[in-house]
Amino acid sequence: MAISLLQRFANWLRVARDDNRGVALTEFAITAPVLILLYLGSYQLCSALTAQRKVTTTARALTDLATQYQTVSDSDLASVLNASVQIMAPYDMSSGSAVISQISIDNAGVATVAWSRGLNTSARMVGSPVIVPASIAQANTSLVLSEVRYQYDPQGTSIILGSLSLHDEVLMAPRTVRSITKV
């Protein structure tokens, strides 16, 4: 009897070893969650990269628009800043902020804020110091600085990943004048 039980168990092992039914289903059950997470992760990564690209494009466009003025008023700056809402679309600019400032560099090479205006945030303080890269800081010149910040919340995974703080800034010299006058 012990031998027949042992033979039955050996036969069952042989049959189980040769039985391929359900292997594909088991492999799919193991790999499907990994593939789904990989797909969703790549979607979130692409979406975050697109948002960062929008932030960079917005900063460049704001600086480009502001540097075309010879004189600028508060309403001109408000119009330029409001363009950021259109540039950032489909991302909601209420989750972000933008600041345009003119930076004046004196003959000693000290850079300070000459004028500033913000959207969804306060402007830089006039007269406050600014660090300008040495490669573009020339005495007795002015630069326009645009700063854009955006709080990106991943769709559906913000609880797991949290939000990302995206930021970019662009410095450009005024195009037609040495310094843009604010009226």
Side-chain angles (χ1 to χ4, degrees):
M1 181 161 158
I3 293 175
S4 66
L5 190 59
L6 208 53
Q7 284 176 343
R8 277 193 217 161
F9 183 68
N11 283 340
W12 181 81
L13 282 176
R14 209 173 306 116
V15 169
R17 181 191 68 200
D18 295 336
D19 189 7
N20 291 333
R21 293 177 297 169
V23 172
L25 182 62
T26 304
E27 289 175 353
F28 179 75
I30 292 170
T31 59
V34 173
L35 293 174
I36 290 170
L37 286 174
L38 186 63
Y39 172 74
L40 293 175
S42 63
Y43 172 77
Q44 292 298 335
L45 178 64
C46 288
S47 181
L49 289 173
T50 301
Q52 176 60 45
R53 184 69 187 142
K54 286 283 194 172
V55 167
T56 299
T57 302
T58 303
R60 288 182 180 168
L62 292 178
T63 308
D64 185 42
L65 289 170
T67 57
Q68 295 178 28
Y69 286 91
Q70 294 178 356
T71 61
V72 69
S73 66
D74 281 332
S75 64
D76 294 332
L77 291 173
S79 296
V80 170
L81 286 167
N82 286 331
S84 66
V85 174
Q86 297 299 318
I87 299 167
M88 283 294 294
Y91 299 100
D92 186 11
M93 195 58 184
S94 65
S95 298
S97 62
V99 176
I100 299 177
S101 307
Q102 179 169 277
I103 311 301
S104 294
I105 305 169
D106 63 14
N107 48 349
V110 178
T112 56
V113 176
W115 52 258
S116 185
R117 175 79 187 239
L119 174 71
N120 298 335
T121 189
S122 56
R124 285 180 173 256
M125 295 288 295
V126 173
S128 63
V130 179
I131 298 173
V132 176
S135 59
I136 59 172
Q138 297 178 0
N140 298 319
T141 59
S142 294
L143 299 169
V144 174
L145 170 66
S146 289
E147 303 165 280
V148 178
R149 296 183 190 288
Y150 183 74
Q151 202 63 31
Y152 174 74
D153 292 317
Q155 299 169 347
T157 58
S158 60
I159 296 171
I160 298 168
L161 300 176
S163 62
L164 299 173
S165 187
L166 307 177
H167 173 262
D168 203 356
E169 56 185 45
V170 175
L171 278 164
M172 241 185 242
R175 294 181 183 209
T176 57
V177 292
R178 193 168 200 64
S179 177
I180 300 170
T181 307
K182 186 174 180 196
V183 292

